[in-house]
Amino acid sequence: MTRKVLLFADFGIDDIMAIIYAYNEKNVEIVGVVAEYGNVDKRTAIRNARYIQRNTGRYDIPLIGGAERSMIGDPPIYYPEVHGPEGFGGYVLQEDLDEPENVFENFHQIYDIIEKYDREITIVCVGRLTSLATSFILYPETVAKVKEIFVMGGTFNYPGNVTPVAEANIFGDPYAANIVFNYAEKLTIFPLNVTQQAILTADMVNYIDKINREKNNPLGMIIKPMMDYYWHFYKSQIPSIQGAPLHDVVTVWGIFNEEYIQYEIKPVRIVTSAGPAFGQTIGDLRSFVQLAEYPVHRIAMDFNYTAFINRVMEVLTDGINNNSTNTADP
């Protein structure tokens, strides 16, 4: 069954890969995109979302401006060494897609979309949780009509990627994550210990690039410069890694591949107090009958890599070209 997805993203490399994948995945129907700060600032995130919109021809899908800053109150920290200065890694846009007169203060459209697709919406949040948490604050009764929520974030019994214990999406705004994890129902978490294993190797990237160049597909041709940049960063930190992980793609893939994923349903808590554990996700994974009295959520613990990567390769080669309405120059 096709999932109607409202996607929250901060439009760094793995977010862009996720939306390219989602637009070309027959099991996913994107019904709205929320672009917010995170890997890049909000203005750049919206510009990147416009680029994807133009190259997919999907002007029918609402593009919504999300949060500009976190609930922490501190200025956001961006990571150009990971995602490039503009979120596309080594790819540089050849045109100016900024529209200064349009500041995208249209957050209310989240409410409209959820109401329109009453109890059919799957929310997938692959960036900071600030916009999603704001939705819980502003529209609690409407958000309760969402069918399910998938979040890429956190890490359980596995090292963090921003601090020794914290993952970037949660660390970027633990206050927002705390709201979502406290109030969300039917929440599924795809943590770093799973997503870090969703590797797209250099050989796979080269094959994707070869097919998309043969088809002269502009959107497909941005994948290699992005993923090469991403891999370069990962190699600098983990020299033995064979490629770059598709954190956000595996989260989108997971919404319709339950049979290939192993889950634990356990209590989860976010550390919001200052100190070395700030932003940590704590899961009570003990095999006890009586566990900590935290909100209980479903946590992905393992997945079938072969099933995942086979589908991703199919979508990013055949799917992206069969669906192509691209008109832009690379």
Side-chain angles (χ1 to χ4, degrees), residues 53-58 217 320-328:
Q53 183 183 58
R54 198 190 77 174
N55 277 272
T56 56
R58 297 306 306 272
N217 186 322
I320 193 173
N321 286 292
N322 291 338
N323 296 337
S324 178
T325 57
N326 302 326
T327 57

Side-chain angles (χ1 to χ4, degrees), residues 34 63 81 83 101 114 198 227 260 277 297:
V34 182
L63 177 56
E81 69 277 14
H83 297 278
E101 73 281 359
I114 296 173
M227 293 304 296
Y260 294 123
H297 300 300

